[in-house]
């Protein structure tokens, strides 16, 4: 399994548009084969900082995601919404289990 986690700073005056684009991308991406989780969150102390969290069942599924029309549209529209650089990391996970708290 692959996990993608990162932050996306958005312009305050473009926050609503960024949220709409993120919601749309979430809905479209969650339909993709191999997508286990895909979501955006707003930071609790800085609402203009979005957090992205993704889980994919394979590298192949992730690479196919980058070729979808909805991802291409997102990449095309995102620069007008960004307030800085996107920071994301990809993690390869060999095992995962529920956290027994």
């Amino acid at each position: 399994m692959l996990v993608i986690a990162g932050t996306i700073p958005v312009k305050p005056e473009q926050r609503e548009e960024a949220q709409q684009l993120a919601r749309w991308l979430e809905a479209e991406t969650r339909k993709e084969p191999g997508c286990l989780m895909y979501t955006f969150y707003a930071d609790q102390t800085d609402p203009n900082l979005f957090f992205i969290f993704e889980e994919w069942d394979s590298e192949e599924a992730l690479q196919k995601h980058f070729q979808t029309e909805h991802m291409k549209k997102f990449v095309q529209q995102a620069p007008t919404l960004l307030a800085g650089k996107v920071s994301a990391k990809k993690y390869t996970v060999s095992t995962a289990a529920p956290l027994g708290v």
Side-chain angles (χ1 to χ4, degrees):
M1 175 173 62
L2 301 174
V3 172
I4 310 295
T7 55
I8 304 170
V10 297
K11 296 175 184 173
E13 67 274 13
Q14 298 289 10
R15 185 174 189 277
E16 185 62 36
E17 187 177 345
Q19 280 183 309
Q20 290 174 3
L21 185 61
R23 284 187 200 116
W24 171 78
L25 183 61
E26 276 183 10
E28 293 302 310
T29 300
R30 289 177 181 176
K31 298 173 190 175
E32 293 179 43
C35 178
L36 306 173
M37 166 66 82
Y38 196 93
T39 192
F40 291 88
Y41 300 97
D43 186 280
Q44 294 297 308
T45 57
D46 181 356
N48 299 313
L49 184 64
F50 289 5
F51 178 77
I52 178 102
F53 185 82
E54 310 171 29
E55 291 180 348
W56 296 91
D57 70 3
S58 68
E59 181 68 35
E60 180 182 15
L62 177 60
Q63 293 307 314
K64 285 183 180 180
H65 165 67
F66 293 135
Q67 300 307 313
T68 62
E69 289 304 313
H70 49 272
M71 188 62 184
K72 289 177 186 177
K73 181 178 177 182
F74 177 80
V75 169
Q76 200 173 43
Q77 292 183 357
T80 63
L81 308 174
L82 297 178
K85 186 177 179 185
V86 173
S87 174
K89 291 183 180 179
K90 177 173 72 172
Y91 302 89
T92 302
V93 179
S94 58
T95 62
L99 182 63
V101 177

